[in-house]
Amino acid sequence: MTNHDHTETGVDRRRFIASAAAVGAVGLAGCTGGETDGGGAESSIGQIGSGREGRGLPGGTPVSEMPDLSGELTVYSGRNEFLVGPLVEYIDEQYPDLDLTVRYNSSTDHVNSILNEGNGSPADVFYSVNAGSLGALASEGRTQAIPDDVADLVREEFRTDQWIGTSGRARTVPYDSDEYDDADVPSDIMAFPEEFDGDLAWAPSYGSCQAFVTAMRNLEGDEATREWLEAVVDSGATAYNNEFRVCEEIADGNVDAGFTNHYYIQRVLDGSPDAAIDTAFTEGDAGAVFNVAGAAIVDTASDVELAGNFVRHLLSAEAQDYFARSTFEYPLIPDVEPIGDLPTIDELDVPDLDLTELSDLEATVDLMREAGVDI
């Protein structure tokens, strides 16, 4: 991925303030742990394709121009029903001949289920909250090739021949804007906690956090990662069961900063536009990883064409706009813009990391426990 200096683009890649008044309110509240997304109140299905106030119709290929979906299809979704359920229902409602079954659980549990079910797995599509779980399933030989015409919809760094990203999330450092300025937040993730004098929070049992630590292992090595983890534990960092909660606690003034994906800050601000929380980006390290939610066709899919076309629908104009408006993620097709005052993907200073390397979560969990992290 190309990295551009913010002085050239005019966008400060380390900080943005969400413009909640401009994007309307979804008001997501409450989360679940594991590797599912944060959940809360469901968004209106009627929003899909209509755009929020002040937002035009999305670009990209609309559902009306997608291949019809008909037949039986089972999707194992590691994405929370509160967040993606309205989108899945919208797709289902377009096709009276589609018999769609969706099973919601954590991405890790779904991977384990598919492996345990063997050749008898009913899963046709695995929809994951992160690339690590997609890579884990693919490494076990339980996926099959994404059709070329579907894969071509997304940039190469966000797909392999066995899975494809459908929306993106940037790793960030949310902080209490009443107590700190952007300059107070280290731009090097390895400088935490020594160079930050406030109280930290994180969600070490959460899948996104474990993927972040996996990225650190790949970029910095196990020993440096162990030392960083031990330093965070020794600092007394408060552990919560999900990253939305981390951002809520920062906004409430209970902790000063944390480590989360970007959209959790956006969700807090969407419900409370005046909340005292801003976002900083670190530079070129594990704290700046850009991960993806995505989908794979399971090797047991009974109708590979149907499975591939369902994945294609997750990259439709309506779906990509939904991810921007309702989950505050980065759309992955170039014709749909993200919501809020976000730097573009190319303006983020991301590390040089193959997302398939994030699949080694078991070794990460072992290292975190060895470092004294309670997960």
Side-chain angles (χ1 to χ4, degrees):
M1 184 183 301
T2 303
N3 297 330
H4 299 293
D5 193 309
H6 69 274
T7 59
E8 297 174 348
T9 62
V11 176
D12 187 339
R13 68 189 174 210
R14 294 197 58 231
R15 181 177 183 270
F16 67 85
I17 301 175
S19 178
V23 301
V26 175
L28 296 171
C31 290
T32 59
E35 289 191 14
T36 54
D37 305 278
E42 293 188 8
S43 304
S44 169
I45 293 172
Q47 287 183 343
I48 296 177
S50 63
R52 290 191 173 189
E53 182 179 355
R55 184 173 171 89
L57 294 175
T61 305
V63 166
S64 62
E65 297 179 15
M66 294 272 171
D68 288 346
L69 302 180
S70 64
E72 296 182 359
L73 186 74
T74 298
V75 176
Y76 281 20
S77 177
R79 304 218 58 187
N80 191 287
E81 184 175 8
F82 285 121
L83 291 181
V84 302
L87 173 62
V88 172
E89 292 173 9
Y90 170 78
I91 294 173
D92 191 17
E93 289 172 355
Q94 308 308 303
Y95 302 103
D97 294 329
L98 176 64
D99 184 3
L100 179 63
T101 300
V102 184
R103 298 185 181 181
Y104 292 95
N105 207 334
S106 78
S107 293
T108 299
D109 286 345
H110 278 319
V111 170
N112 290 334
S113 293
I114 292 170
L115 296 180
N116 291 334
E117 289 162 355
N119 293 332
S121 176
D124 297 303
V125 173
F126 171 46
Y127 184 22
S128 172
V129 73
N130 62 48
S133 293
L134 292 166
L137 190 64
S139 68
E140 295 290 337
R142 296 304 310 274
T143 60
Q144 51 188 306
I146 297 292
D148 290 341
D149 57 345
V150 177
D152 289 344
L153 297 172
V154 171
R155 288 162 46 158
E156 290 185 0
E157 60 263 46
F158 304 138
R159 58 178 167 88
T160 70
D161 62 339
Q162 296 295 304
W163 57 262
I164 188 167
T166 54
S167 56
R169 57 278 305 274
R171 204 68 192 161
T172 58
V173 180
Y175 65 94
D176 183 343
S177 57
D178 277 349
E179 300 295 331
Y180 296 87
D181 294 325
D182 182 63
D184 298 323
V185 183
S187 60
D188 177 3
I189 195 66
M190 304 306 290
F192 288 90
E194 286 84 358
E195 296 183 19
F196 182 75
D197 63 2
D199 295 327
L200 294 172
W202 63 338
S205 63
Y206 207 51
S208 295
C209 183
Q210 292 173 10
F212 149 63
V213 177
T214 303
M216 186 180 291
R217 289 179 49 230
N218 279 278
L219 293 167
E220 307 290 345
D222 281 4
E223 187 56 38
T225 302
R226 183 199 310 274
E227 293 176 359
W228 185 88
L229 291 167
E230 290 173 346
V232 172
V233 171
D234 290 344
S235 75
T238 304
Y240 297 102
N241 68 348
N242 60 74
E243 292 184 350
F244 182 57
R245 175 73 183 281
V246 170
C247 292
E248 286 184 308
E249 295 295 329
I250 293 170
D252 289 342
N254 296 324
V255 290
D256 298 314
F259 312 114
T260 74
N261 285 340
H262 80 277
Y263 48 84
Y264 294 112
I265 300 101
Q266 294 281 71
R267 293 175 191 172
V268 168
L269 288 167
D270 192 56
S272 301
D274 296 326
I277 185 170
D278 280 357
T279 304
F281 294 87
T282 61
E283 299 175 356
D285 55 30
V289 166
F290 188 91
N291 204 339
V292 297
I297 302 173
V298 185
D299 65 335
T300 53
S302 56
D303 187 334
V304 176
E305 183 178 6
L306 173 60
N309 282 331
F310 178 83
V311 174
R312 187 195 306 267
H313 277 67
L314 296 177
L315 295 165
S316 66
E318 291 92 337
Q320 292 291 291
D321 194 51
Y322 177 85
F323 294 138
R325 290 185 291 102
S326 294
T327 67
F328 299 103
E329 294 170 283
Y330 276 89
L332 291 188
I333 63 173
D335 298 318
V336 180
E337 296 294 329
I339 285 284
D341 187 18
L342 287 170
T344 68
I345 293 173
D346 282 330
E347 290 163 346
L348 296 169
D349 188 356
V350 303
D352 184 11
L353 178 70
D354 186 341
L355 291 179
T356 60
E357 296 175 351
L358 300 182
S359 62
D360 189 16
L361 295 175
E362 184 175 355
T364 294
V365 170
D366 289 342
L367 182 65
M368 293 175 76
R369 287 173 173 156
E370 290 171 9
V373 181
D374 186 13
I375 55 176

